[in-house]
Amino acid sequence: MPATDPEDGLNSSQKRHLLTSCQYADKLLSEIEAVLSAASSKSPFPEFKGDIVPAQAKVVQDYVARLRAQMVRVLASQGIRPPAPEFGSIHSIRMTLAFCADCVRGMHARPDARLR
């Protein structure tokens, strides 16, 4: 590992590791948010039970926000800025809906595939 002067801060490898670690932690926090959202979803195929009360959800949301704010402060203290988003929300939604439409079209029985 390259040596660094304590006054110089982290070297580029250490900065990259810190950034990717924060990105991974943020992904895990996003999964927690998805669980909170899914628990109140009207999906006919729920993955999670709706066993969290609103007060608990608020505590979790506040904690997630604090963790993210702390990660941003740590990155800023090392001169690291989080990268800009790579994809647009509308594009992502359109692509997911296209996959969903393909899936639904695949559910239609073909006349030649009927049971005899």
Side-chain angles (χ1 to χ4, degrees):
M1 177 180 278
T4 59
D5 185 338
E7 292 180 359
D8 292 338
L10 302 177
N11 65 36
S12 62
S13 292
Q14 292 167 325
K15 286 182 178 185
R16 193 169 36 259
H17 178 74
L18 178 59
L19 177 61
T20 56
S21 294
C22 286
Q23 287 174 313
Y24 180 66
D26 183 64
K27 180 181 179 220
L28 295 174
L29 294 174
S30 292
E31 290 177 12
I32 291 170
E33 289 176 325
V35 169
L36 290 175
S37 176
S40 62
S41 172
K42 304 296 184 222
S43 170
F45 309 103
E47 186 175 353
F48 303 101
K49 294 179 182 179
D51 57 355
I52 188 164
V53 298
Q56 290 172 316
K58 176 74 172 128
V59 169
V60 172
Q61 291 166 339
D62 291 346
Y63 187 63
V64 166
R66 284 195 311 271
L67 287 171
R68 284 185 167 141
Q70 183 63 29
M71 286 190 297
V72 169
R73 283 192 294 275
V74 168
L75 291 173
S77 75
Q78 297 301 318
I80 304 169
R81 290 192 313 182
E86 294 182 43
F87 306 103
S89 299
I90 293 172
H91 173 74
S92 179
I93 290 169
R94 283 182 179 155
M95 294 306 299
T96 303
L97 286 173
F99 289 130
C100 185
D102 286 345
C103 180
V104 170
R105 277 193 292 274
M107 288 186 240
H108 294 278
R110 293 185 213 142
D112 61 336
R114 292 185 184 160
L115 295 176
R116 297 177 195 234

